Structure formats: C-alpha cells, structure tokens
Amino acid sequence: MSVSCRNLGKTIIKALPLHQRRLGVSIYRRRIQSSSSMEADLKSTFLNVYSVLKSDLLHDPSFEFTDESRLWVERMLDYNVRGGKLNRGLSVVDSFKLLKQGNDLTEQEVFLSCALGWCIEWLQAYFLVLDDIMDNSVTRRGQPCWFRVPQVGMVAINDGILLRNHIHRILKKHFREMPYYVDLVDLFNEVELQTACGQMIDLITTFEGEKDLSKYSLSIHRRIVQYKTAYYSFYLPVACALLMAGENLENHIDVKNVLVDMGIYFQVQDDYLDCFADPETLGKIGTDIEDFKCSWLVVKALERCSEEQTKILYENYGKADPSNVAKVKDLYKELDLEGVFMEYESKSYEKLMGVIEGHKSRAIQAVLKSFLAKIYKRQK
C-alpha cells in the first residue's frame, strides 16, 4: 500500500520508548499534519525520523543524563548532523525505492531506510567535526566550525567520538532483528576504517616542515580520494539500500567500482570548487592551498607548469598569507585550470554513463544514474 506521512507517524511513534510516547505522539502529529504525503515531501519525512532517532539517543538507558548533558548533546546534534544538504542520507531512501522498481514501500521500510540514511549523516558529521579540527578550518556549512563555537573548543573531539558511537546505537536499536544486521555493522565498520585511512594518507603528505610538492601525483590523489571520500559518500548509501533489498554485496563489486569512480569525480569537483566557487554558495571558505592539500588542481598545475611557474608554485603553495594564496590562484587561472576541469568533467560524465548503461539491471542503472544526476555540474 502507499505510505502516507500519517501512517509513517504511527510506525515512528511505536518505535519510541514507552516513557516518550505520550510526548512523541503530540509532537509528531503536529509535524505530520503539515505534510500531505511522504512522496510529496521526502525531506520532511526524513527530518521527522531524525527527531525520533535523536530522542532515542537523548534517552539512551546506557547513560544517566543530567539536564545539562542532554542539552549539550541535543545542541551538538542539531548543529552538526542535520545542518547539511542531507544528500547522502536521502540517497539511501531514493536508492531503495528504485531497487523496489515502483513497488510501494511499507511503513517499516520507509522508517528503516530513513534511519540508515541518518546513520550515514551521523558518520559524515563525525568525520567533519574532527576533520575541521585537524585542518584548523574556519567555517562549515555556512557557519563556524563546531570547535570554534564559544565554549566548545576541544570538547568537539569527544563530541566526534559520541557521534561515531551513536551510529551503532541506532543500528542496534532498529536493525538487530533484521537478517542483514551483521552485514550492516560490518559495512559501517569497514567504510569507517577506509575513510580514516584515506584521511591518514592525506594528512601525512602535509607534515609541517616536510612539505614537498614533488610527492604529489594523480595516483596519490586518487588513492586519497578513493578511501577518504568515495567509499562513505557514494558506495555506502547504495550498499545500505542493497542490503535492505536482500542483496549480497559480494555480488555487486561492479556497482562498487562505478560508485568509487563517481566519488573520485565528485572530489575533483570539490577540489575545483574549493578554489573557484563563491564561499557563500559553497558554504565554507576553501583552505586547500593554505593547507598544502594534495588537490587535483595542484597536481594538474604541476603537470602543466613551465620551470618559472613551477618555482612560483613551490614558493607560495601551502602558505597562509593571503598574498601567497593569491599568487597560486593567479597561476591556476594562467594555466586555465578552469578549462582543464570543464574538459575533465565532460569526459568523466560520458565515461560513467557508458559504464552505467552497460549494466544488466535496469533498477541498478536507475540508482547509479540518480547518483550521477545529483552531482553533475554541481555548484556546491
């Protein structure tokens, strides 16, 4: 049957602990009355599920909360988890619907696919909170990084650890009776390890006092991006949907490979936008040049530079002074890296579409095309 927000509301309220149901019913009914159907407003439904998961965590019996600690966690979650574009999380729901090939989702399937989507958003928040500290970043999603918020500071490190642990509390509460529960736990653990290893490779190439642009190459860049971004941002949402659909992930290595390539394309876009996008549109101030990042732009610049231009790059890349940053950006423009990127984007899209359309499953084709459509020519 078709699932309305009202019916989903009943399912979500049942998921609440008994002592929260009375409050949950009144709050949730007010929320769902403003939305005509899940199909018409998926994001609204998705956000309602966030409220349920947050309530679960704020009343987790494993910890005896004080009023102060509960308020801290609630503020931290609202600031870091629900503040993004939610593309990764919503992609779980979208992908699962496409895998069902037009069949209506049950109330339980809607809730569980949303919950898995939020697990990925929690994972994203965990990574970003700690990444911003490591990069000494200033803004994230158009607001100060969490560690820069007054009275937060390095408490943000522990908040990151909490965010990581919340994922497995959600999985345990809502998925432990599912036949794919162990596979889900393994999947999240593996992807977290892969992402942390990608971050390690990224960080150890930029040791203070050991900055050496000669170490940078497209192969190093690809390795960093594959592990740091592609697995959790692209493969993980589809893998979650495949597990919910009863699929064995070992039978879909080809899907993983396409999604990894898509994730690499996405990160090249990100490197480009870090330098050339309007910070207000992007939602953050790019710092790849100052941070001596192994960016696709600097790798392509090294390939195209004359001897004199290479000297300029070596003298200015990785320095925080605005004048040094400006010289690098001027060099990028002189080398027409915007044009180089446009050509790369066009060729990447054509290659990905060719592989996708060659897949034997129409449902999986639809999932992969949906992902590609979300990122092609993006501006933020």
Side-chain angles (χ1 to χ4, degrees):
M1 69 181 170
S2 179
V3 182
S4 69
C5 280
R6 183 175 300 278
N7 288 335
L8 175 61
K10 293 177 183 177
T11 300
I12 291 177
I13 290 164
K14 288 177 185 176
L16 287 167
L18 183 62
H19 68 279
Q20 298 171 49
R21 287 185 186 174
R22 185 173 299 172
L23 177 62
V25 168
S26 60
I27 292 174
Y28 198 82
R29 280 179 179 160
R30 286 199 298 272
R31 287 188 177 124
I32 62 177
Q33 284 167 358
S34 64
S35 179
S36 60
S37 70
M38 184 202 74
E39 291 83 1
D41 197 352
L42 173 60
K43 189 170 182 179
S44 176
T45 301
F46 192 66
L47 289 170
N48 288 335
V49 173
Y50 165 80
S51 298
V52 174
L53 300 178
K54 182 177 76 169
S55 182
D56 288 345
L57 294 166
L58 293 176
H59 297 86
D60 192 317
S62 294
F63 177 66
E64 189 175 334
F65 281 92
T66 62
D67 290 343
E68 183 182 19
S69 62
R70 184 175 283 114
L71 285 171
W72 179 278
V73 174
E74 181 170 23
R75 178 192 178 206
M76 184 269 289
L77 292 178
D78 288 345
Y79 197 95
N80 294 292
V81 176
R82 61 169 289 169
K85 298 184 289 290
L86 307 181
N87 288 340
R88 293 169 181 83
L90 289 168
S91 292
V92 178
V93 188
D94 289 339
S95 297
F96 184 62
K97 287 170 68 177
L98 289 168
L99 290 173
K100 294 276 285 188
Q101 300 185 66
N103 295 319
D104 291 332
L105 304 189
T106 66
E107 295 171 11
Q108 183 186 45
E109 286 172 335
V110 172
F111 178 82
L112 293 179
S113 60
C114 286
L116 277 183
W118 277 114
C119 284
I120 299 176
E121 293 297 329
W122 248 269
L123 187 68
Q124 163 83 340
Y126 155 53
F127 290 146
L128 295 185
V129 165
L130 298 183
D131 188 68
D132 286 341
I133 296 171
M134 287 181 269
D135 288 347
N136 198 31
S137 297
V138 177
T139 59
R140 170 71 65 182
R141 296 169 172 171
Q143 59 186 359
C145 296
W146 177 239
F147 80 98
R148 292 190 178 276
V149 172
Q151 299 183 330
V152 176
M154 291 303 106
V155 177
I157 297 173
N158 192 66
D159 289 335
I161 296 170
L162 281 176
L163 289 166
R164 190 268 178 200
N165 280 274
H166 283 170
I167 297 163
H168 290 279
R169 302 303 290 174
I170 294 169
L171 292 177
K172 183 178 180 180
K173 180 175 178 61
H174 296 290
F175 293 90
R176 63 179 164 181
E177 301 303 324
M178 298 298 161
Y180 52 85
Y181 173 62
V182 172
D183 292 324
L184 266 182
V185 173
D186 284 347
L187 175 65
F188 272 88
N189 283 335
E190 182 174 284
V191 169
E192 182 190 355
L193 173 64
Q194 289 168 325
T195 308
C197 288
Q199 174 75 339
M200 173 193 65
I201 299 168
D202 192 15
L203 292 170
I204 65 177
T205 58
T206 58
F207 282 137
E208 283 297 327
E210 298 180 23
K211 295 178 177 179
D212 182 5
L213 282 175
S214 67
K215 295 188 297 182
Y216 289 173
S217 66
L218 279 181
S219 61
I220 291 293
H221 178 266
R222 180 184 174 90
R223 188 171 177 80
I224 292 170
V225 171
Q226 176 179 346
Y227 287 96
K228 183 177 175 179
T229 301
Y231 284 113
Y232 94 90
S233 295
F234 286 83
Y235 174 61
L236 181 57
V238 175
C240 285
L242 286 168
L243 287 175
M244 278 195 67
E247 295 289 332
N248 184 333
L249 296 182
E250 292 182 4
N251 296 333
H252 294 285
I253 302 301
D254 55 343
V255 175
K256 178 193 283 190
N257 292 337
V258 173
L259 288 163
V260 167
D261 284 343
M262 212 180 291
I264 291 167
Y265 161 56
F266 175 86
Q267 185 59 51
V268 171
Q269 286 179 312
D270 216 50
D271 291 352
Y272 169 80
L273 293 171
D274 184 272
C275 178
F276 290 105
D278 179 354
E280 288 191 14
T281 302
L282 191 60
K284 64 178 181 178
I285 299 170
T287 60
D288 283 358
I289 294 172
E290 295 95 317
D291 296 336
F292 200 75
K293 288 293 183 183
C294 184
S295 162
W296 183 84
L297 292 174
V298 76
V299 170
K300 298 306 289 186
L302 287 165
E303 288 182 354
R304 299 167 67 86
C305 276
S306 66
E307 186 175 337
E308 185 62 31
Q309 289 169 328
T310 300
K311 184 179 178 183
I312 293 171
L313 199 56
Y314 270 71
E315 289 176 349
N316 293 281
Y317 198 75
K319 295 182 179 177
D321 190 294
S323 65
N324 296 111
V325 175
K327 288 177 182 177
V328 174
K329 289 187 175 183
D330 287 343
L331 180 58
Y332 284 175
K333 290 176 182 176
E334 187 179 328
L335 294 169
D336 189 29
L337 291 191
E338 289 186 82
V340 174
F341 169 75
M342 297 301 176
E343 182 180 2
Y344 165 86
E345 182 169 53
S346 177
K347 288 183 177 179
S348 295
Y349 179 80
E350 290 175 8
K351 180 181 177 182
L352 287 165
M353 281 298 290
V355 175
I356 292 168
E357 291 180 344
H359 198 283
K360 62 184 178 181
S361 167
R362 293 279 183 170
I364 288 178
Q365 278 191 37
V367 169
L368 297 175
K369 285 180 179 179
S370 174
F371 255 78
L372 187 55
K374 290 174 184 175
I375 63 172
Y376 184 55
K377 297 286 187 182
R378 71 187 177 98
Q379 299 299 312
K380 61 180 181 178

